[in-house]
Amino acid sequence: MVSPLVRNNSTFLLLEILRLTIDAGDMCGVLDIVKHFFSDTVERIEKPEARVADLDLKGISDQAVIYLAKVVVSNPYCIPIPLGEIRYVLKSAGSGIAGGTIFDTGSLKGNGDTLLYVEIDVSFKMLETLVKDILVDWDIDYELEIKLIVDLPIVCVSPK
């Protein structure tokens, strides 16, 4: 006999539904059930969140203006998450003016915030886009799109 604790477990429920579906001979139904179970489970898993804390002018070189973005990433897991790379695109007035990839960026602290520094070089040629944006409304509207590529370990999720 199955204990009441196991009976309330969503994995047990999935296995019981699969057993009934397989007994009925409907393999397509089995695949649909498994697909929906895992997609629902993945949707409920907490994910790291990032926000741009600051974007400063770092300096000027002979070919570009250099900005420094400070990005705060919150990791809800109790273990550190290794970062594979950071991909970024800086846009102004809807046009991409700089972008790139940073490799070997360390890891995100477990149960906490990690401050990442993203150095962005905007070539003098692309500054024309910024000047056009300034002339429209006398400020710079920018969007910094950052994608964190992580090496996520297997996470076991148990129902609460």
Side-chain angles (χ1 to χ4, degrees):
M1 177 167 187
V2 178
S3 75
L5 292 175
V6 174
R7 213 175 266 157
N8 292 332
N9 187 325
S10 58
T11 305
F12 175 78
L13 179 62
L14 172 68
L15 293 174
E16 190 61 27
I17 292 171
L18 287 175
R19 185 186 63 75
L20 293 172
T21 306
I22 291 171
D23 287 347
D26 182 14
M27 269 318 270
C28 290
V30 170
L31 295 178
D32 285 341
I33 290 169
V34 170
K35 181 178 81 172
H36 290 295
F37 175 79
F38 285 110
S39 66
D40 289 345
T41 302
V42 169
E43 284 178 14
R44 285 183 270 151
I45 294 175
E46 285 186 275
K47 297 168 187 70
E49 293 183 10
R51 66 178 171 79
V52 177
D54 199 8
L55 181 66
D56 290 324
L57 177 64
K58 181 178 180 184
I60 298 175
S61 73
D62 58 342
Q63 297 180 3
V65 174
I66 304 160
Y67 292 95
L68 183 65
K70 297 174 186 171
V71 180
V72 178
V73 183
S74 298
N75 177 7
Y77 304 115
C78 61
I79 58 171
I81 298 176
L83 279 175
E85 59 191 54
I86 299 172
R87 296 180 189 161
Y88 64 90
V89 177
L90 180 64
K91 297 179 181 180
S92 176
S95 299
I97 59 172
T101 303
I102 302 170
F103 299 98
D104 298 326
T105 55
S107 61
L108 303 175
K109 294 178 199 169
N111 277 339
D113 293 341
T114 303
L115 181 62
L116 303 175
Y117 296 96
V118 180
E119 193 172 288
I120 304 166
D121 295 352
V122 180
S123 70
F124 288 127
K125 185 177 179 181
M126 294 309 296
L127 287 176
E128 182 180 330
T129 304
L130 287 175
V131 172
K132 287 179 183 177
D133 184 33
I134 291 170
L135 293 175
V136 171
D137 56 5
W138 294 99
D139 68 354
I140 300 175
D141 299 321
Y142 67 89
E143 176 184 353
L144 179 58
E145 182 179 294
I146 295 182
K147 293 182 182 178
L148 303 176
I149 310 301
V150 298
D151 298 323
L152 193 60
I154 297 174
V155 177
C156 298
V157 178
S158 60
K160 293 182 179 180

